[in-house]
Amino acid sequence: MRFALLASTMLAGAAQAEDVTLTIESWRNDDLSIWQDTIIPAFEAANPGIKVVFAPSAPAEYNAVLNSKLDAGSAGDLITCRPFDASLELYNKGQLADLSGLASMANFSDVAKSAWQTDDGAATFCVPMASVIHGFIYNADAFAELGIEVPKTEAEFFAALDKIKADGTYIPMAMGTNDQWEAATMGYQNIGPNYWKGEEGRKALIAGTQKLTDEDWVAPYRQLAKWKDYLGDGFEAQTYPDSQNLFTLGRAAIYPAGSWEISGFNAQAGFKMGAFAPPVPAAGDDCYISDHTDIGLGMNAKTAHPDAAKVFLDWVGSPEFAKLYANALPGFFSLNSTPVEMEDPLAKEFVGWRETCKPTIRSTYQILSRGTPNLENETWNASANVIKGTETPEDAAKRLQDGLASWYEPQKAK
């Protein structure tokens, strides 16, 4: 009996010693509880011996933090991947592993995989997880109280903002320019596709047949310049979390948004919410939405646990994960080929725009941010400046165009 007990104790100790812990690097610090309470327990229950730790950084600092960790050899085993150029650069540096051979890659279309592939499509280095859709989230109680209809055109949008401002109960729109990225991401890239006609304009910019100084690319900045009057006092010093709080506390009526806000807002807001797509410039115009391949998961090429990491990544590519993730995080829309029925009403509103509007991705993400100056980061700065009024739409567009043309061959003056 004593021998049997000793043997079982030794076996248990050996099993414990074989447990592998995988660490996930991510910018989604808002999702910590969802990973800890829902996603990781589901995986660990089915995969004893593999433990997973979700260890996010602040969104604005993620790229710099991740790059320094990878260079120092201290990064986690699993790397949450930005789409296109930022992750491609990590792969080209040998810091992300080629995952083309994963069985679950068969669950994704070429379009879903394109955000995490080499230009020739020969290697796929992150498992696609989700896309996000841009638009506006609004306080439906405030709209009802003030008798405001959901705006469909730009004129209706500004009429609604004027009515909210005149009433004085609410800040018309919650967005700041302190962190810069939100001015570009929830501002320029949100409303812009309606002007540059989505993929048509984005691809023309890559081909060099359109320039950032063309009217279709300057016009969204002209609209952004008008936002200044509706953002409330001190918006220049307002951070991203400040804006989230202003809206969820019921102090602002409209929030320029990405669908990734839904789960956080559901938890924080005590009022009914709705969402509307970016209003079109004129009635009858085609509508376009930024339905952006946003997030994937890759493997640190130097992980000490490649086999365990691949087990986890194969699971991330499964229909089971797709359903779990999309409903645990409403607003992150699965890229898996297996359809996922959304349960959240606000998420259903966002994803419903796919039926009526043409999808595109953010204009700066593919190819155009590979050089210096980096067009994505410059667009952050330009968008914030235009909203603050420290740079005109025309000057901002010219600066971005000059920067792009300084290194990108198709945009160089012929």
Side-chain angles (χ1 to χ4, degrees):
M1 176 72 181
R2 198 169 151 213
F3 177 79
L5 191 64
L6 185 63
S8 67
T9 306
M10 285 170 68
L11 281 169
Q16 216 168 3
E18 287 166 19
D19 273 4
V20 166
T21 298
L22 301 174
T23 301
I24 301 174
E25 302 281 0
S26 177
W27 70 87
R28 290 291 309 158
N29 50 6
D30 287 353
D31 303 344
L32 182 60
S33 62
I34 287 154
W35 278 89
Q36 288 179 338
D37 300 343
T38 305
I39 297 170
I40 291 171
F43 172 78
E44 289 181 350
N47 296 274
I50 304 177
K51 304 290 179 198
V52 182
V53 175
F54 185 72
S57 311
E61 297 162 14
Y62 178 69
N63 288 21
V65 168
L66 177 64
N67 287 336
S68 62
K69 281 184 178 179
L70 285 166
D71 291 342
S74 60
D77 307 275
L78 298 158
I79 310 294
T80 304
C81 303
R82 305 271 199 197
F84 294 104
D85 296 349
S87 293
L88 178 61
E89 187 180 349
L90 298 182
Y91 174 75
N92 287 338
K93 285 164 71 176
Q95 293 175 327
L96 285 176
D98 183 356
L99 300 176
S100 307
L102 274 186
S104 63
M105 280 296 183
N107 296 335
F108 300 94
S109 70
D110 290 343
V111 171
K113 290 187 284 193
S114 66
W116 298 285
Q117 282 183 329
T118 49
D119 288 350
D120 61 6
T124 307
F125 41 82
C126 301
V127 177
M129 284 168 64
S131 72
V132 291
I133 297 175
H134 287 284
F136 295 81
I137 297 175
Y138 66 96
N139 181 329
D141 293 346
F143 270 44
E145 180 190 323
L146 300 176
I148 294 172
E149 295 288 321
V150 170
K152 293 191 167 49
T153 66
E154 198 177 310
E156 291 170 356
F157 178 60
F158 282 101
L161 290 169
D162 284 333
K163 193 166 185 180
I164 298 161
K165 187 176 181 179
D167 172 76
T169 308
Y170 304 93
I171 297 164
M173 200 152 53
M175 195 180 80
T177 55
N178 185 78
D179 299 346
Q180 297 197 347
W181 71 268
E182 63 269 60
T185 307
M186 283 99 89
Y188 190 69
Q189 297 289 0
N190 188 353
I191 63 173
N194 276 330
Y195 295 94
W196 61 70
K197 298 179 175 54
E199 287 294 273
E200 183 186 317
R202 187 182 77 83
K203 288 178 175 175
L205 207 57
I206 291 170
T209 56
Q210 286 186 20
K211 297 187 183 307
L212 289 162
T213 46
D214 292 350
E215 178 58 22
D216 288 353
W217 295 89
V218 182
Y221 278 132
R222 292 210 182 92
Q223 188 191 143
L224 282 193
K226 292 161 68 177
W227 284 19
K228 178 181 182 179
D229 296 337
Y230 305 101
L231 300 180
D233 295 338
F235 73 85
E236 299 90 343
Q238 192 171 303
T239 65
Y240 174 52
D242 291 337
S243 302
Q244 291 173 307
N245 289 337
L246 277 176
F247 183 72
T248 55
L249 290 169
R251 292 177 55 199
I254 298 173
Y255 184 95
S259 58
W260 62 84
E261 304 284 8
I262 292 172
S263 58
F265 282 9
N266 282 344
Q268 299 291 330
F271 49 84
K272 188 181 178 213
M273 291 179 287
F276 58 88
V280 293
D285 286 353
D286 287 339
C287 64
Y288 297 83
I289 53 167
S290 178
D291 187 353
H292 187 70
T293 39
D294 183 62
I295 189 165
L297 195 66
M299 183 172 87
N300 183 346
K302 296 191 171 72
T303 175
H305 311 295
D307 293 340
K310 284 177 182 174
V311 169
F312 186 79
L313 287 165
D314 241 344
W315 181 72
V316 168
S318 70
E320 179 198 354
F321 175 86
K323 184 176 181 184
L324 191 68
Y325 186 77
N327 280 301
L329 274 168
F332 284 86
F333 302 106
S334 171
L335 291 167
N336 199 293
S337 300
T338 305
V340 175
E341 180 62 35
M342 299 305 303
E343 294 159 9
D344 182 86
L346 207 49
K348 279 184 175 177
E349 283 194 56
F350 272 89
V351 83
W353 304 334
R354 286 176 172 169
E355 307 300 316
T356 51
C357 301
K358 297 175 184 176
T360 185
I361 63 166
R362 293 178 203 151
S363 62
T364 52
Y365 267 64
Q366 187 180 30
I367 298 171
L368 301 179
S369 292
R370 292 181 186 175
T372 304
N374 178 301
L375 183 60
E376 166 68 0
N377 292 350
E378 292 295 298
T379 302
W380 294 7
N381 176 259
S383 303
N385 287 352
V386 167
I387 292 170
K388 288 187 292 186
T390 59
E391 197 169 18
T392 67
E394 294 75 16
D395 287 347
K398 184 179 186 304
R399 176 163 67 89
L400 295 180
Q401 177 61 32
D402 289 349
L404 182 60
S406 72
W407 65 266
Y408 184 57
E409 200 60 46
Q411 286 289 350
K412 288 186 177 176
K414 300 291 186 284

